[in-house]
Amino acid sequence: MHLYALVEIPAEAQDVEAAVATALAPYREFGPDGEHIESGLWDWYRIGGRWAGLVDGDSTRRGSLADEHRPALLITIAGGAFAAERWNGASFDDTSAAFDAAWRDLDPDARLVVVDCHT
């Protein structure tokens, strides 16, 4: 399944691809030896991907995004990974309260990159 994700990166990041890779690394589904990580959120990703052009450019500021641009997955520098719902192996768990709080509390000046995550 493809997820529209927004990944927060440091404002001073010069290499967007490296900053996104660093932010997403803790949430991958498979480790370096191919072992499955149960808590993982993605098996591959692409900056932009299916969601390129959804917002004005692939890197934007939170203050410029209205609620209709809320992602399915939000990766923040300070707080981690948030999803509106999460697959537990048998069904989806409602994790929307934590997601809503993270989206609401995200700094309006946060630098965000649009990412197509596959899980």
Side-chain angles (χ1 to χ4, degrees):
M1 174 169 56
H2 290 262
L3 298 176
Y4 159 48
L6 287 175
V7 177
E8 182 184 17
I9 62 172
E12 67 279 357
Q14 297 296 311
D15 185 340
V16 171
E17 289 183 24
V20 168
T22 298
L24 287 174
Y27 310 106
R28 64 180 180 241
E29 284 186 357
F30 298 97
D33 296 327
E35 73 276 12
H36 184 259
I37 301 169
E38 201 61 40
S39 61
L41 296 171
W42 61 270
D43 58 4
W44 67 261
Y45 70 90
R46 177 167 303 181
I47 293 176
R50 291 178 178 214
W51 318 116
L54 179 66
V55 297
D56 188 17
D58 286 340
S59 184
T60 189
R61 300 266 178 211
R62 166 65 175 102
S64 67
L65 296 177
D67 277 342
E68 66 264 18
H69 293 296
R70 288 166 44 113
L73 179 61
L74 176 64
I75 308 293
T76 67
I77 293 170
F82 301 91
E85 58 184 15
R86 184 108 188 240
W87 182 251
N88 66 21
S91 63
F92 284 98
D93 292 329
D94 181 3
T95 55
S96 59
F99 175 86
D100 290 344
W103 177 251
R104 182 180 58 251
D105 296 341
L106 191 61
D107 184 336
D109 291 327
R111 185 173 178 202
L112 301 169
V113 179
V114 174
V115 177
D116 178 358
C117 284
H118 186 266
T119 183

